[in-house]
């Protein structure tokens, strides 16, 4: 399959995932929390295409709800982290000097701590829920964006049009707002897209560890965590389908981001990799 075919396939998967989380819950009109012990751990069938879990709940509906939570966390956390990283990186690159050195040392200090470990510390300060996970992921994923934006600002500062603006008497603030910030927006947008699948995996990891969403709330990490006992008993579907709902959309988003990265600047792929 060529690059265009991969992009089209990835775009189709992302569109299908978005439509599923938007349309399936209102159209199905089923309670994803409804317990039916008489129908527990049923294998995939026409009535339940993905089978049922250990409490007899429809696994397809639970996976759709879990994907909705993962997409919500991924998109919101990526946007917040991108805003923070862009502001910090642009300020460090535009001001330079001691401010740049101090800011980047702070970034390096936080980057030396594993993301998941730092995320566990942040989310442990709150009660389990969606927004504590969003805060945890956002506060641990802005560092790469800050580095990317700073590097791009330093590159833009050496361009002739910036020198001309400075020579014409423009202030640092005007140069930053009129020339530097607009120049880094494409890279910041790409960093946000690249961050979405990463944030989705972190949300699932936190939920799998019992530190994310409450156990009763549908989350792909929760679904995989509660299905471990069923897998040991030979029931494969409660683990397989939530895993696919996590892996396939994140790979599709990453593939679209890679295509955008190549189109944006094919010579600097490694710099834009998170």
């Amino acid at each position: 399959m060529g690059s265009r075919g991969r992009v089209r396939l990835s775009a189709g998967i992302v569109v299908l995932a978005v439509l599923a989380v938007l349309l399936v819950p209102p159209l199905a009109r089923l309670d994803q929390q409804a317990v039916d012990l008489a129908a527990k751990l049923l294998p995939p069938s026409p009535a339940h295409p993905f089978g049922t879990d250990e409490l007899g709940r429809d696994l397809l509906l639970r996976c759709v709800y879990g994907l909705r939570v993962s997409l919500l966390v991924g998109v919101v956390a990526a946007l917040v982290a991108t805003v923070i990283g862009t502001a910090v990186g642009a300020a460090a690159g535009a001001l330079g000097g001691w401010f740049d050195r101090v800011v980047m040392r702070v970034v390096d200090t936080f980057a030396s701590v594993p993301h998941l470990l730092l995320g566990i510390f942040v989310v442990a300060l709150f009660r389990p829920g969606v927004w504590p996970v969003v805060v945890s992921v956002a506060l641990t994923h802005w560092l790469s964006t800050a580095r990317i934006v700073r590097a791009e600002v330093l590159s833009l500062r050496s361009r002739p049009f910036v020198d001309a603006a400075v020579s014409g008497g423009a202030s640092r603030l005007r140069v930053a707002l009129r020339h530097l910030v607009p120049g880094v927006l494409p890279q910041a947008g790409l960093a946000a897209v690249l961050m979405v699948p990463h944030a989705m995996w972190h949300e699932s990891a936190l939920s799998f560890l019992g530190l994310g969403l409450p156990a009763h709330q549908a989350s792909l990490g929760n679904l995989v965590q509660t299905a471990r006992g069923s897998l040991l008993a030979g029931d494969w579907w409660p683990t397989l389908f939530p895993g696919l709902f996590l892996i396939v959309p994140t790979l599709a988003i990453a593939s679209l981001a890679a295509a955008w990265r190549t189109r944006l600047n094919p010579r600097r792929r490694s710099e834009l990799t998170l």
Side-chain angles (χ1 to χ4, degrees):
M1 183 183 295
S3 59
R4 289 188 177 181
R6 288 194 296 270
V7 170
R8 291 174 181 174
L9 177 60
S10 299
I13 292 174
V14 172
V15 170
L16 183 62
V18 172
L19 290 177
V21 300
L22 292 178
L23 299 180
V24 169
L27 292 179
R29 295 183 179 181
L30 297 174
D31 183 6
Q32 54 107 5
Q33 298 283 11
V35 175
D36 183 6
L37 296 180
K40 67 176 184 179
L41 292 177
L42 294 178
S45 64
H48 302 283
F50 286 3
T52 61
D53 63 7
E54 72 283 353
L55 296 179
R57 296 172 294 192
D58 184 78
L59 197 57
L60 173 58
L61 195 60
R62 298 274 291 170
C63 286
V64 170
Y65 273 91
L67 179 60
R68 182 165 67 172
V69 170
S70 294
L71 284 176
L72 173 65
V73 172
V75 172
V76 175
L79 290 177
V80 174
T82 300
V83 171
I84 297 173
T86 301
V88 172
L95 296 178
W98 65 269
F99 183 81
D100 179 31
R101 292 192 294 271
V102 170
V103 169
M104 296 317 296
R105 294 297 78 77
V106 173
V107 170
D108 292 340
T109 300
F110 278 99
S112 64
V113 181
H115 283 174
L116 185 58
L117 182 61
L118 188 58
I120 290 174
F121 173 77
V122 174
V123 80
L125 300 176
F126 305 94
R127 292 183 178 180
V130 173
W131 297 113
V133 175
V134 170
V135 172
S136 172
V137 175
L139 292 181
T140 56
H141 285 73
W142 59 271
L143 307 171
S144 297
T145 303
R147 287 173 170 171
I148 293 170
V149 170
R150 173 184 175 271
E152 189 64 23
V153 168
L154 292 177
S155 175
L156 291 173
R157 285 177 58 182
S158 62
R159 303 289 178 84
F161 64 88
V162 174
D163 292 335
V166 174
S167 301
S171 64
R172 283 189 175 184
L173 180 61
R174 182 176 177 82
V175 170
L177 295 179
R178 292 292 300 272
H179 301 289
L180 300 182
V181 173
V184 303
L185 288 181
Q187 284 76 14
L190 175 57
V193 176
L194 284 167
M195 205 180 301
V196 170
H198 199 61
M200 292 174 64
W201 276 95
H202 268 256
E203 178 276 322
S204 297
L206 290 172
S207 296
F208 182 83
L209 294 173
L211 298 171
L213 274 69
H216 69 275
Q217 189 169 353
S219 163
L220 296 178
N222 281 343
L223 294 179
V224 174
Q225 197 276 339
T226 56
R228 290 182 303 167
S230 302
L231 181 63
L232 295 176
D235 300 322
W236 49 269
W237 55 92
T239 304
L240 174 64
F241 292 115
L244 290 178
F245 263 65
L246 177 62
I247 294 172
V248 174
T250 53
L251 289 180
I253 296 173
S255 178
L256 291 178
W260 183 11
R261 179 179 59 194
T262 302
R263 181 183 292 269
L264 180 66
N265 201 337
R267 295 183 179 181
R268 297 171 63 185
R269 298 180 184 180
S270 60
E271 177 187 336
L272 297 176
T273 301
L274 291 177

